[in-house]
Amino acid sequence: MTDPAPATGCRDVPVLAERGQHEVFCGLTGIIWLHRKIQDAFFLVVGSRTCAHLLQSAAGVMIFAEPRFGTAILEETDLAGLADAQEELEREVDRLLSRRPDIRQLFLVGSCPSEVIKLDLSRAAERLSARHAPKVRVLNYSGSGIETTFTEGEDACLAAMVPALPDTDRRQLILVGALPDVVEDQALDLLSKLGIEDVAVLPARHADSGLAIGPNTVFALTQPFLGGTLAALERRGARHIPAPFPFGEEGTTAWLTAVAREFGVDQAHFDAVTAAPRARAARAVAQAAEGLRDRSVFFFPDSQLEIPLARFLTRECGMRAIEVGAPYIHRAVVGPELDLLDRGPQLAEGQDVERQLDRCRDARPDLTVCGLGLANPLEAEGLATKWAIELVFTPVHFYEQAGDLAGLFSRPLRRRAALRLEAAE
Amino acid sequence: MKLSVWTYEGPPHVGALRVATAMKGLHYVLHAPQGDTYADLLFTMIERRNHRPPVTYTTFQARDLGADTAQLFKTACLAAHDRFRPQAMIVGASCTAELIQDDPGGMAETMGLPVPVIPLDLPSYQRKENFGADETLFQLVRALARPMDRSAHVTCNLIGPTALGFRHRDDITELTALLGDMGIGVNVCAPYGATPQDLTRLGAAHFNVLMYPETGEAACRWMERELGQPYTRTVPIGVGATRDFLGEVAALTGRSLALDESRLRLPWYSASVDSTYLTGKRVFIFGDGTHVASAARIARDEMGFEVAGLGCYNREQARMIRALARDYGVEALITEDYLEVEARIAELAPEMILGTQMERHIGKRLGIPCAVISAPVHVQDFPARYSPQMGIEGANVIFDTWVHPLVMGLEEHLLTMFREDFEFHDDAGASHHGGAATPRVADPAPAPAEAPDTGGEVIWLDEAERELRKVPFFVRGKARRNTETYASERGLTRIGLDTLYDAKAHYAR
């Protein structure tokens, strides 16, 4: 296994920790991609009209496609007498399950209002599980803004699934993180070609996938925001394979290398399997990254993907990172990424959006990666932006998507160069 | 608890955000958890604003709960004032902050900020977005407007247009021009484009134009009482309503009614023979109360449609809509549950829907043409082009918007009519896309005209079913329903060709 080129590394550089207004999504947003991935699950948010409004605003047109999520909106009466809340919830769940008999897993998702009034959703989940067993399993987790930021909602969801998994002594690999189906299939195919056959995925597409866990299980994360799930898996005796994340040619190779090493795959076989897709990815990245070289990039915090993406953009696309903001930096997870990221960019954890905007305006980056609430205002100030949410929804992992990933960042710059909106001289 | 997937309205603090974002020189400090900033993107994306909404969120987290959140609120207030130097501020709580009882109003009062700080009390678990906007504007007006001498020339205030309002931007332009033609100037338009300082000048106007009752009625009522300013009751959407509105303005001001109709095309377009096929088209109308009431009048009196049903999602307008429905001889549907709306539409089987973004999708699902007349709307209904709903140009816009889906419907109908044609059958492919036409394969012989007995249910025999398919798709639903009603009233369990045509004759109008 060849290790990636040594770098000076960012693992021990001081991080700017800020507290102020956070311009981020809450964890409820994770439902929008999780319900596509887990095909027999329904996500029932217990919250307010704000939660329902957030979901429909973030889900866009998806809301019209009979989605498998909804909000049980708390009303005045629910706040007055807490005793009724459990009964109310049971009634709503009964109605829901009779209307949607295809549902096998029901997630009760906590929100800020339900957390603040201390509505005990775990007890509700237990009672409902008993009531609807064995057909439907009811779990709960919190996607509230007071506890979770954007992709941490997926982390909370997956972590909640882990204790309910059956035991196994099998020597197996679990890939952890919801990926678009096409990407998941590519990953499984690569691993199978490397001779690693007993591979499962968390979250599985269906409840009856046979996913189990035990002391001989090893797991690799495909997403950097899964710190809580990592801890839950370790509590079940499984062992984590630390690795950089499979973004870009280098990231994918490093990730595969870590897994292959765990399973004793020999170097010649590894090279034979990866040579062609590696070359393809490198070519695609080189092509798509044209126009990114020597440009500067500034990351606002959003999804915890910022550090791996900064590593990809600086090392494979030749960009220069000015600031890499992340909502949360989990060192056990992104440590290998920090080792690869050259010293230089300011690492920032948390946010004071006004100060961060000041720094961004001062730095005048060539490209700013930020949320949709900031993107158009910054464009109007003359800064090119890449809206970050797309990076979570679009297939961007592993070799075949490496070119697309670079393309997501180069497109805004190409567009700016293409538009001629001033009057002709 | 109520299970909901789609909501017509956001929470009330989004209404307050719509007022704050519409104004300049005002800043809103919202006590809210991390994540509530999602609302910013409604303004930057759907309305495509080029600036951030003037809102500071405290974005408290779990670790702040306890006494810390109050301190957080104060810090956020001071920082917002220092940074933005607004002329006035509004402060309030979102649904979660309402539960932790920090009292933003009380806290802001003790801070001694050098500008007016107006507390908002928006009950998140009872009221919704439109109430939030109406109440916010009312509180702003109450805090800032004072009695003063009327302007020398006749002027009015335009009250109610907000950020994220359906066509509010262009309605302001249209109305300003209409009033200008009568020699009436606009004193202040609020909240859209106004500053807190502008609000202090509201009293100089001779009267108020209440553009949107949903978001401006409380302010207008207060100004009528406290500043002695009458306000207009007619919303000038549609030709008749525009004339009535100007009549009302003439009565209020003593000026003679003047309306430049040289650009008004709806009446002639509607009278021209091409529009004959619009006669008696059954439409279902749903949206906010104001736009539904306006649309019903246009539909019946100016387009010659038949209003088959109507309703609204905002309970504040329920009484008005119920009364209107009685006038039209239909049952009002007051609900915020889109499944009920869908069920009513399916039951009525209208030939066209006038509604919101949601009804557009219901129409798509049921195969019924639809035009959008009311918020909530998506980005395509914040168009770049000039497209008011009010006044002269508004009437022109409405004619085109409503007829377009029907014209396309007619095209589809023609294609369906000639489906059996040797060139236009289903498998032929599009002739203009370069595809070679495929000859039609003869239909297999019809199955024996015997269908299984479904026990009580009326069943369609094959020949009748095939005949029904020849009926234009946009009346097919009605034909099916009428025939089934006809059959079951007569105790028939099977529908054959004769039953179909008997029913047709029975319902002929």
Side-chain angles (χ1 to χ4, degrees):
Chain A
M1 309 297 114
T2 40
D3 282 310
T8 46
C10 266
R11 200 188 274 254
D12 52 359
V13 300
V15 171
L16 174 67
E18 279 194 307
R19 180 71 190 91
Q21 178 177 322
H22 288 202
E23 183 84 17
V24 290
F25 279 129
C26 65
L28 295 182
T29 337
I31 291 170
I32 289 157
W33 64 86
L34 283 170
H35 93 282
R36 300 314 307 156
K37 189 69 204 173
I38 313 177
Q39 294 169 13
D40 53 7
F42 192 100
F43 293 81
L44 181 62
V45 177
V46 182
S48 64
R49 175 169 298 278
T50 309
C51 307
H53 196 236
L54 158 89
L55 281 177
Q56 87 182 40
S57 307
V61 291
M62 232 189 251
I63 202 88
F64 303 111
E66 289 285 317
R68 280 174 286 101
F69 60 80
T71 308
I73 296 183
L74 294 166
E75 291 166 336
E76 199 73 39
T77 49
D78 299 304
L79 303 177
L82 278 182
D84 295 337
Q86 297 280 349
E87 280 171 35
E88 290 270 305
L89 192 55
E90 278 180 24
R91 190 198 64 213
E92 284 302 323
V93 166
D94 288 353
R95 270 183 49 196
L96 170 69
L97 290 177
S98 63
R99 214 165 64 195
R100 299 294 300 265
D102 51 322
I103 300 305
R104 303 283 317 282
Q105 311 179 69
L106 177 70
F107 290 94
L108 301 180
V109 188
S111 65
C112 300
S114 74
E115 296 294 329
V116 166
I117 63 170
K118 307 236 179 296
L119 187 56
D120 190 350
L121 289 184
S122 69
R123 194 164 65 100
E126 267 173 40
R127 281 168 52 159
L128 284 164
S129 255
R131 192 182 170 101
H132 296 282
K135 190 166 170 285
V136 185
R137 190 174 58 202
V138 185
L139 295 171
N140 83 289
Y141 71 91
S142 172
S144 74
I146 56 177
E147 291 158 304
T148 59
T149 304
F150 195 28
T151 49
E152 281 183 288
E154 176 177 332
D155 190 28
C157 173
L158 301 192
M161 296 173 82
V162 171
L165 294 177
D167 282 307
T168 180
D169 282 334
R170 279 208 326 264
R171 162 78 168 158
Q172 60 163 352
L173 171 69
I174 300 183
L175 299 190
V176 187
L179 294 175
D181 289 351
V182 53
V183 177
E184 187 179 300
D185 292 342
Q186 286 169 14
L188 294 175
D189 183 54
L190 275 168
L191 292 168
S192 144
K193 283 180 180 151
L194 288 174
I196 306 166
E197 291 292 353
D198 199 345
V199 186
V201 179
L202 176 71
R205 293 180 204 183
H206 297 278
D208 53 6
S209 65
L211 185 65
I213 192 167
N216 294 318
T217 299
V218 290
F219 65 92
L221 305 182
T222 56
Q223 301 281 23
F225 42 75
L226 297 172
T229 310
L230 184 151
L233 288 164
E234 283 181 339
R235 277 197 292 277
R236 292 291 306 270
R239 186 161 47 78
H240 176 216
I241 307 173
F245 289 89
F247 296 113
E249 181 271 313
E250 184 189 46
T252 305
T253 304
W255 185 90
L256 283 172
T257 300
V259 174
R261 188 173 282 158
E262 167 70 29
F263 283 87
V265 179
D266 76 71
Q267 182 73 50
H269 183 54
F270 184 88
D271 289 344
V273 168
T274 57
R278 277 184 80 165
R280 213 161 39 228
R283 256 199 326 275
V285 170
Q287 203 170 1
E290 215 176 292
L292 290 180
R293 196 154 298 282
D294 300 323
R295 302 293 199 99
S296 59
V297 60
F298 190 109
F299 282 90
F300 280 78
D302 192 56
S303 61
Q304 299 185 46
L305 293 169
E306 297 83 4
I307 288 172
L309 291 176
R311 182 263 302 159
F312 165 72
L313 289 176
T314 53
R315 290 175 64 97
E316 294 186 51
C317 303
M319 293 191 88
R320 182 170 55 84
I322 297 171
E323 174 163 330
V324 184
Y328 186 63
I329 298 179
H330 195 299
R331 283 168 183 280
V333 176
V334 291
E337 290 285 355
L338 289 170
D339 290 339
L340 291 175
L341 188 63
D342 258 335
R343 279 170 189 274
Q346 169 76 64
L347 296 185
E349 184 176 18
Q351 188 176 33
D352 180 329
V353 72
E354 302 294 350
R355 287 190 203 175
Q356 198 164 29
L357 281 166
D358 288 344
R359 292 198 297 277
C360 181
R361 289 176 181 126
D362 285 346
R364 302 288 310 167
D366 294 309
L367 187 65
T368 303
V369 185
C370 62
L372 288 172
L374 299 176
N376 269 337
L378 287 174
E379 290 280 351
E381 291 180 27
L383 292 171
T385 62
K386 165 72 218 124
W387 48 282
I389 299 141
E390 195 178 9
L391 299 160
V392 177
F393 291 110
T394 313
V396 291
H397 291 72
F398 291 97
Y399 289 129
E400 310 308 336
Q401 281 67 239
D404 301 344
L405 179 58
L408 287 179
F409 294 95
S410 58
R411 191 172 307 124
L413 294 175
R414 276 196 287 124
R415 178 165 183 78
R416 275 181 99 72
L419 292 180
R420 297 269 182 277
L421 296 172
E422 310 79 23
E425 308 234 341
Chain B
M1 254 179 233
K2 173 127 181 50
L3 185 64
S4 151
V5 175
W6 163 266
T7 61
Y8 284 96
E9 289 185 73
H13 72 258
V14 168
L17 274 164
R18 286 175 52 188
V19 171
T21 306
M23 289 181 61
K24 297 187 172 76
L26 177 75
H27 200 85
Y28 184 16
V29 179
L30 179 60
H31 204 18
Q34 168 178 271
D36 278 8
T37 52
Y38 81 86
D40 282 1
L41 70 87
L42 303 172
F43 301 95
T44 60
M45 299 305 291
I46 296 180
E47 204 178 6
R48 257 189 263 250
R49 288 199 171 243
N50 64 0
H51 59 90
R52 294 172 61 216
V55 189
T56 295
Y57 302 81
T58 56
T59 59
F60 55 82
Q61 292 175 277
R63 60 169 189 254
D64 304 318
L65 289 179
D68 268 337
T69 52
Q71 192 53 47
L72 205 60
F73 177 81
K74 288 184 186 170
T75 316
C77 265
L78 286 174
H81 180 264
D82 277 357
R83 179 173 286 267
F84 300 104
R85 298 276 160 196
Q87 296 170 15
M89 290 169 75
I90 49 179
V91 296
S94 80
C95 52
T96 305
E98 195 182 328
L99 297 172
I100 59 176
Q101 299 177 337
D102 274 342
D103 185 21
M107 283 190 289
E109 211 170 298
T110 62
M111 291 167 62
L113 290 168
V115 295
V117 179
I118 298 144
L120 299 175
D121 189 14
L122 302 175
S124 312
Y125 297 91
Q126 296 161 14
R127 308 305 296 265
K128 296 184 296 251
E129 182 176 331
N130 280 325
F131 169 83
D134 192 54
E135 173 72 10
T136 303
L137 181 61
F138 164 57
Q139 294 297 346
L140 278 164
V141 168
R142 201 177 68 144
L144 299 171
R146 290 290 168 265
M148 58 173 62
D149 291 341
R150 301 284 188 246
S151 57
H153 296 287
V154 178
T155 59
C156 65
N157 300 314
L158 303 184
I159 303 297
T162 65
L164 267 191
F166 176 64
R167 309 294 168 86
H168 288 195
R169 178 196 70 195
D170 296 343
D171 282 348
I172 294 169
T173 309
E174 185 67 20
L175 217 44
T176 305
L178 276 186
L179 292 161
D181 287 349
M182 276 179 71
I184 297 167
V186 171
N187 178 51
V188 174
C189 172
Y192 204 103
T195 62
Q197 250 156 30
D198 292 335
L199 296 189
T200 64
R201 298 190 291 106
L202 281 167
H206 293 233
F207 68 103
N208 285 315
V209 171
L210 174 55
M211 291 177 68
Y212 308 101
E214 273 83 358
T215 51
E217 192 160 4
C220 277
R221 282 214 191 114
W222 184 87
M223 287 189 279
E224 184 175 57
R225 208 169 54 236
E226 303 292 326
L227 307 180
Q229 291 167 318
Y231 65 90
T232 54
R233 289 343 198 239
T234 314
V235 177
I237 300 179
V239 180
T242 300
R243 290 190 180 126
D244 291 353
F245 166 77
L246 292 176
E248 216 185 326
V249 169
L252 285 176
T253 58
R255 298 200 164 234
S256 53
L257 194 157
L259 178 60
D260 174 9
E261 297 196 359
S262 59
R263 290 179 303 111
L264 177 62
R265 284 177 281 271
L266 180 144
W268 163 240
Y269 270 50
S270 196
S272 71
V273 291
D274 191 49
S275 299
T276 313
Y277 80 100
L278 301 178
T279 315
K281 260 200 192 308
R282 302 171 66 255
V283 294
F284 179 82
I285 310 175
F286 196 82
D288 68 43
T290 297
H291 284 90
V292 166
S294 306
R297 179 172 176 184
I298 299 170
R300 187 183 64 184
D301 300 344
E302 297 172 24
M303 304 291 276
F305 294 152
E306 178 194 334
V307 175
L310 55 80
C312 72
Y313 56 76
N314 49 338
R315 281 172 199 282
E316 291 88 349
Q317 303 279 351
R319 188 181 300 180
M320 183 270 285
I321 287 295
R322 285 209 179 91
L324 188 75
R326 275 194 296 277
D327 281 355
Y328 281 72
V330 296
E331 198 186 334
L333 177 65
I334 313 294
T335 182
E336 46 171 338
D337 183 348
Y338 75 97
L339 292 172
E340 278 183 44
V341 179
E342 185 172 75
R344 180 66 64 87
I345 292 174
E347 177 201 328
L348 292 173
E351 291 153 84
M352 183 181 193
I353 307 169
L354 300 172
T356 73
Q357 181 70 11
M358 195 48 177
E359 282 69 47
R360 192 201 321 255
H361 284 269
I362 292 173
K364 222 179 261 177
R365 202 172 301 158
L366 300 176
I368 302 171
C370 178
V372 170
I373 58 155
S374 159
V377 293
H378 211 0
V379 62
Q380 67 266 39
D381 278 302
F382 286 92
R385 67 180 182 278
Y386 182 58
S387 22
Q389 298 288 292
M390 290 184 178
I392 297 293
E393 190 56 24
N396 295 337
V397 166
I398 285 171
F399 181 90
D400 286 348
T401 310
W402 293 11
V403 167
H404 268 170
L406 291 174
V407 170
M408 291 195 231
L410 195 66
E411 280 168 15
E412 195 172 332
H413 164 51
L414 289 174
L415 286 175
T416 318
M417 287 240 299
F418 295 120
R419 185 166 55 183
E420 304 295 310
D421 188 287
F422 70 104
E423 279 175 335
F424 286 151
H425 59 89
D426 277 350
D427 301 325
S431 58
H432 55 289
H433 286 160
T438 338
R440 180 153 62 93
V441 184
D443 279 339
E450 276 303 308
D453 190 12
T454 47
E457 281 282 296
V458 182
I459 55 154
W460 286 75
L461 299 179
D462 198 59
E463 52 171 8
E465 185 77 49
R466 263 182 296 130
E467 195 69 10
L468 183 69
R469 259 182 262 137
K470 294 179 193 164
V471 173
F473 78 96
F474 49 83
V475 287
R476 203 178 298 152
K478 188 172 67 168
R480 181 183 288 278
R481 198 166 43 96
N482 284 350
T483 311
E484 285 170 2
T485 313
Y486 178 87
S488 57
E489 276 170 3
R490 277 153 192 78
L492 302 172
T493 54
R494 281 144 199 260
I495 294 171
L497 257 188
D498 287 342
T499 329
L500 179 65
Y501 283 113
D502 286 348
K504 184 173 187 299
H506 177 77
Y507 286 102
R509 40 173 184 191

